[in-house]
Structure formats: structure tokens, C-alpha cells
Amino acid sequence: MITASHVRELLEREDDATLVLSRGRAEVLSAREPAAAGEQDVLRVISGGELRERLAADRSAPDDLHAVAATLDAIVTEQGG
């Protein structure tokens, strides 16, 4: 489950951090950090840069990190993650 803490961490990191799901757990990783489960078991959700761009471009995007997390979680669920 993606939480507001994951979103906050992703937005605050200045590296190439990406939100991923690995074995059903959300994690924020840099490109240099290997996912614990290995590449084949990792679902990439969104990078920090992509999320910042999306939030800046979409005036209707929620400011509440809990709402952003819920939206990302719903997208993952729709994709079968």
C-alpha cells in the first residue's frame, strides 16, 4: 500500500528516486539501490521527477499527500499490482 510517507519521501529526495512495489510493499529507491526482490519482481510506479511534473501540470491534483498516495495506489491496483 502506498502511503503519504512514501509520497513525501519521493518528493523530498533530490536523487533519481523512484517509487516501486516489490513483493506487495511500496519502497522509494534510487537507481543505484537494487530492489530486494530483484528486477523481475519489481513494479515501477513513478519517479519523483515525474510526480513533481504531474502535480505541477495538473491544477486539479490534490495538495494532500494522503490523497496523492490514494490516487497512486488506485492506479497500481488497476494495473494489477
Side-chain angles (χ1 to χ4, degrees):
M1 175 177 190
I2 299 170
T3 67
S5 296
H6 294 116
V7 174
R8 182 179 304 107
E9 180 181 357
L10 187 60
L11 292 173
E12 290 177 351
R13 295 218 359 207
E14 294 182 15
D15 60 4
D16 53 354
T18 300
L19 178 62
V20 300
L21 286 183
S22 174
R23 296 184 183 166
R25 289 186 40 220
E27 298 180 76
V28 177
L29 302 175
S30 75
R32 294 176 301 281
E33 293 177 286
E39 286 296 318
Q40 67 275 13
D41 295 331
V42 175
L43 173 65
R44 182 186 179 283
V45 179
I46 194 167
S47 73
E50 291 167 337
L51 181 57
R52 283 187 288 277
E53 286 177 21
R54 190 177 287 184
L55 293 175
D58 185 358
R59 301 274 185 241
S60 67
D63 292 328
D64 177 22
L65 296 182
H66 293 282
V68 173
T71 300
L72 292 173
D73 207 47
I75 290 169
V76 168
T77 301
E78 288 174 7
Q79 293 178 355

